[in-house]
Amino acid sequence: EMKIADPDYLELYGLELVAGRNFRENKHQFDEFIINQKMAKSLGWTPQEALGKKLAISEGEATVIGVVRDFHNHSLKNELTPVVLMNWHAWRWQAFVRINSFDGLIATEDVWKGMFPKNIFTYRFVDDSIAKEYVIEQLIFKGFRFFSVLVIIIGCLGLFGLVSFLTLQKTKEIGIRKVLGATVGHILIQFTRSFALLIVVGFLVASPIVYYFMQTWLESFMYHTALSAWMFLTGGLITLLLGILVTMSKSLSAARANPVTSLRSD
């Protein structure tokens, strides 16, 4: 892949030279190349060996004066590509500017209009260009986030309804337990233990399935993070805590109720 550069290109994009030097001046006819490590490796050169070598591309031949550390040109789904930076005035039809505020953009536009009054000023941000590489992934992430929240809400509502039903069915049992000396904490443990066990079983069943699909998706990227156990354990603990809170929110009132009221009919 070929890119047009000038003496300020490396500093602007934070590219690091691992061998050789940078361009020293703008030129109307190119005679120097800077390549990346991937390009040097594809030609069988080390960074030091590449210096001074002649390299021919479709635009012509020039001498390699520097080698930069590899950098990503595209999405992380793609492997690093060989890159040639050439200092050629004839191909400079764009300006790359680093700005810190909207005022900087206005100032850049004013300079452009002063130099090229007949040309339309158009621009785009680098981060927007990068974001376009991940449009599908962003849509998938938003979909997962929406449906995850929806499933959690539905699950909590279902659990709350089930606990409410069981509490109503075991009102007299709770009253008898309290008469026999059971504490509020003991009754809450009795209620939450069975539900917590179901959540743990569900977590153990779901984790391998989630791991398989997440690992398959991550493998579509050439460069990706690794899945760790703490990611799954964190999700499992959060789910368990939500289940316990929902269960306790309803069973606490039943555990605190006066046993005389629940046993009055007997």
Side-chain angles (χ1 to χ4, degrees):
E1 186 170 349
M2 185 190 71
K3 292 180 176 293
I4 303 301
D6 62 9
D8 298 317
Y9 189 90
L10 301 187
E11 181 181 358
L12 178 67
Y13 287 102
L15 302 181
E16 180 185 351
L17 276 169
V18 294
R21 62 173 177 83
N22 192 9
F23 298 121
R24 290 175 178 168
E25 59 182 350
N26 293 322
K27 295 185 177 182
H28 289 275
Q29 185 63 37
F30 71 89
D31 59 358
E32 297 175 335
F33 286 148
I34 293 178
I35 63 176
N36 68 342
Q37 292 172 302
K38 185 75 173 181
M39 185 68 182
K41 185 177 180 180
S42 67
L43 296 172
W45 302 334
T46 65
Q48 291 296 334
E49 290 173 346
L51 301 179
K53 294 289 181 65
K54 293 290 185 179
L55 178 63
I57 60 175
S58 57
E59 285 74 15
E61 186 180 68
T63 303
V64 176
I65 63 167
V67 179
V68 296
R69 194 175 301 280
D70 287 330
F71 57 93
H72 292 280
N73 296 313
H74 306 288
S75 165
L76 294 180
K77 285 186 174 182
N78 304 315
E79 190 177 1
L80 289 169
T81 56
V83 176
V84 176
L85 303 179
M86 58 189 306
N87 185 12
W88 191 11
H89 180 76
W91 281 71
R92 292 202 188 98
W93 52 274
Q94 290 180 325
F96 300 90
V97 183
R98 178 179 293 175
I99 58 176
N100 297 320
S101 64
F102 184 74
D103 292 337
L105 179 61
I106 299 299
T108 303
E109 183 177 6
D110 292 338
V111 173
W112 174 275
K113 290 180 178 179
M115 298 180 65
F116 311 104
K118 295 182 179 180
N119 294 345
I120 298 175
F121 176 75
T122 59
Y123 66 90
R124 66 176 182 268
F125 295 105
V126 174
D127 53 352
D128 291 336
S129 299
I130 295 174
K132 289 180 181 179
E133 297 281 352
Y134 302 98
V135 171
I136 296 177
E137 285 73 19
Q138 288 294 328
L139 291 175
I140 293 174
F141 173 72
K142 290 180 180 178
F144 270 117
R145 184 169 57 184
F146 172 77
F147 285 109
S148 296
V149 173
L150 183 63
V151 167
I152 290 173
I153 293 174
I154 294 175
C156 289
L157 289 175
L159 182 60
F160 185 83
L162 180 61
V163 173
S164 299
F165 175 75
L166 291 179
T167 301
L168 184 64
Q169 292 291 314
K170 295 185 177 183
T171 300
K172 290 184 174 59
E173 178 185 337
I174 294 173
I176 294 173
R177 286 180 179 273
K178 293 194 69 174
V179 169
L180 295 177
T183 63
V184 173
H186 178 76
I187 295 172
L188 290 178
I189 291 174
Q190 291 295 321
F191 264 93
T192 57
R193 183 168 56 186
S194 57
F195 291 107
L197 180 61
L198 289 175
I199 292 174
V200 171
V201 172
F203 170 77
L204 294 177
V205 172
S207 292
I209 300 174
V210 173
Y211 177 84
Y212 171 77
F213 284 105
M214 288 300 298
Q215 188 64 30
T216 302
W217 177 66
L218 286 174
E219 287 176 354
S220 65
F221 292 83
M222 183 61 64
Y223 305 94
H224 57 80
T225 187
L227 293 176
S228 302
W230 69 265
M231 300 177 183
F232 295 89
L233 292 176
T234 302
L237 288 174
I238 293 174
T239 304
L240 181 62
L241 288 175
L242 282 174
I244 292 175
L245 288 175
V246 171
T247 304
M248 292 181 63
S249 65
K250 185 61 182 177
S251 58
L252 185 61
S253 58
R256 287 178 173 178
N258 190 341
V260 176
T261 304
S262 58
L263 297 175
R264 183 176 298 170
S265 59
D266 295 340

